[in-house]
Amino acid sequence: MSQQTILFEKHQQYGGKIVDFAGWQMPINYGSQIDEHHQVRTDAGMFDVSHMTVVDLKGEQVKPFLQYLLANDVARLQESGKALYSCMLNEQGGVIDDLIVYYMNDQWFRMVVNAGTRDKDLAWISKQAVPFAVDVTEQPEVAMIAVQGPNAREKALQVLPLDVSQAAADLGRFYGAASGDWFIARTGYTGEDGFEIIMPESEATALWDALLGAGVKPTGLGARDTLRLEAGMNLYGSDMDESTSPLISNLGWTIAWEPAERNFIGRDVIAAEKAAGVEQKLVGLVLTDKGVLRGHQKVIVAGVGEGEITSGTFSPSLKQSVAFARVPVATGDTCQVEMRGKLLNARVVKPVFYREGKSFID
Amino acid sequence: MSEIPTDLHYTSSHEWVRLEEDGTVTVGISDHAQEALGDLVFVELPEVDSELAAEEACCVIESVKAASDVYMPINGVIVDTNQALVDEPEIINSSPYDDGWLFKINPADEDDVGQLMDASTYEAELED
């Protein structure tokens, strides 16, 4: 049975085209996905991300628990509110999920995980938590709105409740702060500045309306996907999953190898993989011929081998098609992509294309 | 509600078809189809002079979301394609029935056009 967020009626009122996403009825767009994309790149847009899962971890042993659970090291979080992006690996070194964890205090961390992986994440976290003095509590009664774009913070600060606005005003990048029942973080999934705001469900529609009044336009999941791809951010289930290690998913940077004595789940397997040398890498592709790159298209690297596109789309900011692809590690500067029986030419680049008004490709 | 001009014929795969005075047949996609597909970003038009059978896939249109085939509505030969769409596929979104036409056919049999759905039948099918 498909679920609705507390903002479902707002999406309908604004003409949202509703699709099923990970068991939730969510707006793919409100008319034009491309206009919504540009709105976020040039001004401010808002996304209902209430389908995402908020999990609080509390207790005496929460820090050692997370140091064991996650491939990144929460010991890096020294200041209250600081956020960390991490993979949660299985024992085979595959990615169960990617997530953001916030350090609130020594006995409280807050985690935001994907909607599509909610059930298996909660089961896994609870199972691993058994030997630790940690309480794992999902927060299902909250809504979450992401406000993103160069003018997003300024517009949001005008309409947030006063105490929340005060807590938000001085947040550094990748920091969050609690304010009463609310939690606000300077994070996002678009390659733009902005906030992600977690609040009680009962307050979400009023905030949505207030943001609309401040000129923040509703933006659907379609634009969220083109924005994150341009920004070089992975999508769980497409760019990595339980069968791929972070090392071949452009997520090696999120693994904290030091201190060497920290034992985290999957460490021995990916350490061995790293020592042996990986065979694949996740790269960016820019299509030089006309067409649109899509997930699962075959990539052919002359004299080297084959690979596959993991996510592909038309980039509204660059006005050409871009993709992530998993290819042999010896892949050079160019490749070809098989599309409807034809071979089209593409350049191989670092997997980040566009952020905050700046193109990352030549 | 999408626009369905009454002077055109339609297919269940959402192409529209217009018999022109010179005997050629112009083909495009319906307003309903362009809206369902979303912002179009790429069109791969058929080759002029190719002879194709009804229901054969002959053209690909891609939105930000996905690629979709366009099918030959009737038997015939492609005689012209809308080159303006190569650089501006979004014309299909803004003008599906006029500037956003896809290709023209020299039909094997003009009478085939009349065998396709009329506007009211297509409208009823969309409501199902």
Side-chain angles (χ1 to χ4, degrees):
Chain A
M1 197 45 207
S2 202
Q3 301 181 78
Q4 296 175 353
T5 74
I6 198 77
L7 292 165
F8 182 75
E9 280 181 27
K10 292 286 156 194
H11 304 320
Q12 288 189 309
Q13 278 172 21
Y14 206 74
K17 195 170 143 199
I18 305 296
V19 297
D20 183 273
F21 179 84
W24 292 81
Q25 292 177 50
M26 303 299 287
I28 184 92
N29 63 59
Y30 302 85
S32 167
Q33 176 174 337
I34 290 181
D35 289 352
E36 289 162 24
H37 178 108
H38 292 313
Q39 175 78 18
V40 172
R41 286 272 179 257
T42 58
D43 185 2
M46 59 178 161
F47 306 83
D48 177 13
V49 284
S50 304
H51 57 306
M52 294 190 78
T53 307
V54 179
V55 185
D56 280 329
L57 302 118
K58 293 185 177 178
E60 292 290 332
Q61 291 186 296
V62 63
K63 184 174 163 188
F65 170 60
L66 287 171
Q67 287 191 287
Y68 171 66
L69 184 75
L70 302 179
N72 210 337
D73 188 358
V74 295
R76 290 177 172 182
L77 303 176
Q78 299 289 334
E79 288 176 72
S80 179
K82 182 69 178 161
L84 184 76
Y85 173 73
S86 182
C87 290
M88 181 164 71
L89 304 181
N90 61 26
E91 278 136 4
Q92 294 74 44
V95 184
I96 294 175
D97 202 3
D98 66 332
L99 54 89
I100 288 185
V101 60
Y102 298 91
Y103 165 66
M104 306 307 292
N105 59 48
D106 286 340
Q107 301 204 13
W108 176 24
F109 287 74
R110 169 164 278 192
M111 218 184 240
V112 179
V113 305
N114 284 302
T117 49
R118 174 191 173 276
D119 295 353
K120 70 165 186 175
D121 286 5
L122 290 173
W124 178 260
I125 296 165
S126 300
K127 181 179 153 200
Q128 301 303 330
V130 171
F132 294 87
V134 173
D135 289 325
V136 179
T137 315
E138 193 202 356
Q139 302 291 342
E141 306 288 305
V142 295
M144 189 163 168
I145 297 172
V147 188
Q148 303 275 293
N151 301 325
R153 287 196 308 140
E154 184 200 327
K155 289 185 173 179
L157 290 172
Q158 291 168 18
V159 300
L160 284 164
L162 191 59
D163 52 341
V164 180
S165 185
Q166 282 169 346
D170 298 325
L171 281 177
R173 283 181 190 251
F174 234 58
Y175 277 85
S179 173
D181 293 343
W182 291 54
F183 179 84
I184 185 159
R186 195 168 163 193
T187 51
Y189 193 49
T190 60
E192 295 295 331
D193 205 348
F195 293 127
E196 292 179 301
I197 307 159
I198 298 170
M199 74 220 88
E201 281 189 329
S202 57
E203 317 222 29
T205 51
L207 179 67
W208 185 268
D209 287 340
L211 287 165
L212 198 57
V216 181
K217 296 261 174 63
T219 310
L221 293 182
R224 189 169 166 82
D225 191 53
T226 52
L227 288 159
R228 70 91 194 166
L229 216 168
E230 285 186 351
M233 294 166 154
N234 286 26
L235 173 65
Y236 188 78
S238 296
D239 305 313
M240 72 289 196
D241 59 27
E242 292 192 30
S243 71
T244 57
S245 96
L247 299 175
I248 59 166
S249 309
N250 190 36
L251 293 170
W253 62 276
T254 68
I255 302 163
W257 297 102
E258 299 294 331
E261 62 272 20
R262 184 175 70 98
N263 174 39
F264 60 85
I265 300 169
R267 175 167 191 145
D268 49 346
V269 179
I270 59 168
E273 184 189 3
K274 189 176 182 227
V278 293
E279 293 177 358
Q280 293 172 302
K281 59 182 177 179
L282 194 77
V283 297
L285 302 186
V286 178
L287 187 66
T288 44
D289 288 329
K290 284 213 169 228
V292 184
L293 301 169
R294 305 283 182 191
H296 305 299
Q297 286 170 344
K298 190 196 281 186
V299 177
I300 294 153
V301 188
V304 174
E306 292 183 352
E308 187 177 285
I309 290 180
T310 57
S311 291
T313 192
F314 177 82
S315 157
S317 301
L318 299 171
K319 300 194 166 37
Q320 57 189 330
S321 183
V322 299
F324 296 153
R326 187 169 282 114
V327 295
V329 79
T331 300
D333 295 338
T334 61
C335 67
Q336 290 183 305
V337 179
E338 193 176 290
M339 200 181 297
R340 295 186 286 272
K342 292 182 200 159
L343 290 178
L344 303 185
N345 294 300
R347 291 168 52 213
V348 179
V349 299
K350 286 186 181 152
V352 54
F353 305 100
Y354 197 95
R355 286 183 178 198
E356 300 196 26
K358 184 170 174 285
S359 168
F360 285 76
I361 62 169
D362 304 327
Chain B
M1 197 58 218
S2 67
E3 195 193 334
I4 306 173
T6 52
D7 58 331
L8 304 178
H9 283 81
Y10 300 87
T11 68
S12 50
S13 47
H14 308 288
E15 291 85 14
W16 60 258
V17 174
R18 181 169 54 225
L19 182 60
E20 308 289 354
E21 284 175 11
D22 63 2
T24 64
V25 168
T26 307
V27 180
I29 63 164
S30 72
D31 188 32
H32 170 83
Q34 72 76 20
E35 197 179 323
L37 291 168
D39 294 315
L40 294 173
V41 294
F42 176 68
V43 180
E44 189 177 297
L45 293 163
E47 302 271 332
V48 170
D49 292 337
S50 41
E51 185 174 354
L52 297 161
E55 296 178 20
E56 226 177 307
C58 62
C59 174
V60 178
I61 51 183
E62 298 208 34
S63 70
V64 249
K65 280 180 284 177
S68 306
D69 286 318
V70 176
Y71 299 92
M72 278 293 273
I74 54 172
N75 299 330
V77 177
I78 306 286
V79 292
D80 194 10
T81 57
N82 187 355
Q83 292 299 313
L85 301 178
V86 173
D87 290 323
E88 290 182 80
E90 63 272 22
I91 295 171
I92 299 171
N93 292 119
S94 57
S95 178
Y97 295 112
D98 295 302
D99 297 341
W101 64 275
L102 290 168
F103 51 88
K104 290 183 194 289
I105 304 170
N106 192 2
D109 183 350
E110 265 183 32
D111 293 344
D112 288 348
V113 174
Q115 304 299 311
L116 300 171
M117 283 185 275
D118 62 15
S120 59
T121 311
Y122 180 60
E123 187 175 356
E125 188 167 294
L126 288 184
E127 280 164 9
D128 280 345

